[in-house]
């Protein structure tokens, strides 16, 4: 569909060795952690780094953790996961981007680090050749969309993931999609269940 037609980052940057960084935002309960867990467990050959606020919030099976040094843990599937606060974010992104073998993608969970638009600005203006801003993925709870104030976040999103699509009717899902498109006509919209997004798409 239209989601696959829109590249979230410049292929020339990827070729230069700069790692794409995606910000993942969404209201509490929308499914950010579920999406992150899905990506880490089902990477399908895509090497993913994750920048999160708290290791405890990401329910990584202890058997997956191969080793941990300071705020960084190496996972057996090649992924790296960091626990950071706002002051450490840029430094930790640099460390993730320098990991060998090279990561294909770094995902930053926006909650606790910054507001989505502020985080996007910070990433987009970062002066570090090792990584570059690849876009903002906004997770939207299809059930709670009407009650959530998401207008600004939808306007700056590069991809809207309509999570919990299985919990609403087809008509309700179409209504939510229409409302998203009223706010941001160009944004790709991806309905999903349990945060199941193909890592290759990101």
């Amino acid at each position: 569909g239209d989601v696959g037609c829109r590249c979230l980052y410049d292929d020339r940057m990827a070729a230069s060795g700069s790692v794409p960084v995606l910000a993942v935002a969404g209201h509490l309960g929308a499914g950010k952690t579920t999406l992150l867990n899905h990506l880490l467990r089902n990477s399908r050959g895509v090497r993913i780094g994750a920048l999160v606020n708290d290791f405890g919030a990401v329910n990584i099976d202890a058997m997956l953790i191969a080793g941990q040094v300071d705020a960084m843990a190496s996972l057996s599937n090649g992924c790296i996961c960091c626990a950071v606060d706002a002051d450490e974010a840029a430094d930790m992104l640099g460390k993730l981007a320098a990991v060998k073998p090279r990561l294909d993608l770094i995902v930053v969970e926006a909650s606790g680090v910054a507001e989505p638009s502020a985080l996007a600005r910070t990433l987009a203006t970062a002066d570090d050749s090792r990584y570059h801003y690849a876009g903002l993925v906004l997770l939207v709870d299809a059930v709670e969309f009407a009650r959530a104030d998401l207008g600004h976040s939808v306007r700056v999103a590069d991809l809207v993931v309509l999570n919990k699509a299985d919990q609403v009717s087809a008509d309700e899902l179409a209504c939510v999609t229409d409302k998203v498109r009223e706010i941001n006509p160009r944004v790709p919209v991806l309905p999903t269940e349990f945060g199941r997004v193909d890592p290759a798409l990101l």
Side-chain angles (χ1 to χ4, degrees), residues 91-105:
D91 181 50
M92 293 308 294
L93 280 171
K95 289 180 180 178
L96 278 173
V99 165
K100 303 295 181 191
R102 180 178 169 274
L103 297 172
D104 298 305
L105 175 70

Side-chain angles (χ1 to χ4, degrees), residues 149-166:
D149 181 17
L150 294 169
H152 179 68
S153 296
V154 170
R155 271 192 293 277
V156 298
D158 295 288
L159 172 65
V160 170
V161 176
L162 287 183
N163 199 29
K164 306 182 186 178
D166 57 320

Side-chain angles (χ1 to χ4, degrees), residues 5-169:
C5 296
R6 181 165 174 176
C7 185
L8 294 185
Y9 66 95
D10 191 328
D11 288 333
R12 289 170 297 179
M13 288 182 165
S16 73
S18 175
V19 181
V21 177
L22 282 178
V24 176
H27 277 216
L28 183 67
K32 295 187 300 297
T33 302
T34 304
L35 168 66
L36 194 53
N37 274 309
H38 170 74
L39 292 175
L40 292 175
R41 288 193 170 89
N42 302 279
S43 58
R44 298 183 184 179
V46 178
R47 288 179 51 80
I48 298 172
L51 200 60
V52 297
N53 242 14
D54 177 18
F55 275 126
V58 180
N59 186 24
I60 301 169
D61 187 323
M63 294 300 289
L64 285 177
I65 296 184
Q68 183 171 339
V69 180
D70 298 324
M72 186 176 286
S74 267
L75 305 184
S76 59
N77 60 0
C79 297
I80 306 293
C81 189
C82 301
V84 301
D85 61 27
D87 294 333
E88 296 173 315
D91 181 50
M92 293 308 294
L93 280 171
K95 289 180 180 178
L96 278 173
V99 165
K100 303 295 181 191
R102 180 178 169 274
L103 297 172
D104 298 305
L105 175 70
I106 297 172
V107 178
V108 179
E109 185 188 3
S111 64
V113 177
E115 286 299 310
S117 56
L119 176 62
R121 250 190 325 274
T122 300
L123 293 173
T125 58
D127 185 21
D128 193 319
S129 61
R130 294 173 296 179
Y131 63 87
H132 62 275
Y133 177 59
L136 173 66
V137 176
L138 178 66
L139 257 80
V140 172
D141 184 330
V143 178
E144 298 292 331
F145 180 81
R147 289 184 284 277
D149 181 17
L150 294 169
H152 179 68
S153 296
V154 170
R155 271 192 293 277
V156 298
D158 295 288
L159 172 65
V160 170
V161 176
L162 287 183
N163 199 29
K164 306 182 186 178
D166 57 320
Q167 296 180 29
V168 296
S169 68

